[in-house]
Amino acid sequence: MAPNFRQLVHRPLLSREHPLDPETAASRISAYVYGNILLLTVLIPLTSPEEHSFQGVVIVVGTAVSTFVAHAFAESVGETVRTGTSLSRLARLSRLRDSVPVLSAAVAPAVLLAIGWAGLLDPSIGQIAAEVTVIARIASTNFVVGRLRGEKPTRETFLGSLVLSVVAIVVVAIKVLLTH
């Protein structure tokens, strides 16, 4: 049975008593990966002193918010095409919820950059810490997928995470080389 609006909004975000259905899990992991990769591609080229200030925080938050909106919109359009009908209010809210991992990718980096901007931490160290945080999130993708499926982590989960972090770094390097 599909959750009603109240259940959708008030259920715990971190509870995984029952695994998500495959379509919802796929949508959320897509948002998780996409948000992390985009945030890392934004963080890597921040090199000037101005970008180690408030401007860097705005760039990170702006990227996350715009990507969140774009991802939710794209998921909604895709769902409309798959079902052949317009989405209900509940379905649109569900697409927004499925896109939240894009926003969560920006929280730690934005906070670390803001701490650097405020002078509580050297701004370049704040940026490096933000980048390492996002790489760690990318590396944890296998753990997140397992959690969404209701599976326990294994040694293969850990090894796969290491491979994912290397792949993510290569993808980001290619993106930076081609676009910056």
Side-chain angles (χ1 to χ4, degrees):
M1 182 172 134
N4 65 29
F5 177 75
R6 185 168 173 76
Q7 289 172 327
L8 181 71
V9 174
H10 294 288
R11 67 182 176 205
L13 286 173
L14 300 177
S15 173
R16 196 50 48 226
E17 185 177 302
H18 303 288
L20 293 173
D21 64 271
E23 187 175 323
T24 302
S27 180
R28 290 189 188 176
I29 199 65
S30 170
Y32 182 87
V33 170
Y34 194 59
N36 285 309
I37 294 287
L38 281 178
L39 259 290
L40 193 55
T41 61
V42 165
L43 285 167
I44 298 290
L46 295 180
T47 55
S48 71
E50 299 81 32
E51 293 170 328
H52 284 279
S53 67
F54 183 69
Q55 182 182 1
V57 176
V58 170
I59 289 170
V60 166
V61 172
T63 299
V65 170
S66 63
T67 303
F68 167 75
V69 170
H71 190 271
F73 177 71
E75 287 289 323
S76 294
V77 170
E79 182 72 16
T80 299
V81 170
R82 273 191 294 281
T83 62
T85 61
S86 295
L87 296 181
S88 67
R89 179 174 178 244
L90 184 62
R92 285 193 302 274
L93 287 171
S94 182
R95 294 304 148 260
L96 283 174
R97 181 168 161 70
D98 292 347
S99 297
V100 166
V102 172
L103 293 176
S104 71
V107 173
V111 167
L112 289 164
L113 291 175
I115 290 171
W117 168 60
L120 302 173
L121 179 69
D122 181 83
S124 59
I125 292 183
Q127 180 182 349
I128 291 168
E131 292 166 358
V132 168
T133 300
V134 177
I135 290 171
R137 281 179 56 95
I138 292 167
S140 73
T141 301
N142 281 350
F143 290 98
V144 174
V145 169
R147 184 182 151 279
L148 291 175
R149 290 180 178 168
E151 300 170 351
K152 294 185 187 253
T154 63
R155 185 169 35 131
E156 287 76 24
T157 307
F158 177 73
L159 294 174
S161 293
L162 293 177
V163 170
L164 272 176
S165 63
V166 170
V167 169
I169 292 168
V170 169
V171 167
V172 168
I174 291 169
K175 165 95 168 66
V176 169
L177 286 172
L178 294 177
T179 63
H180 294 289

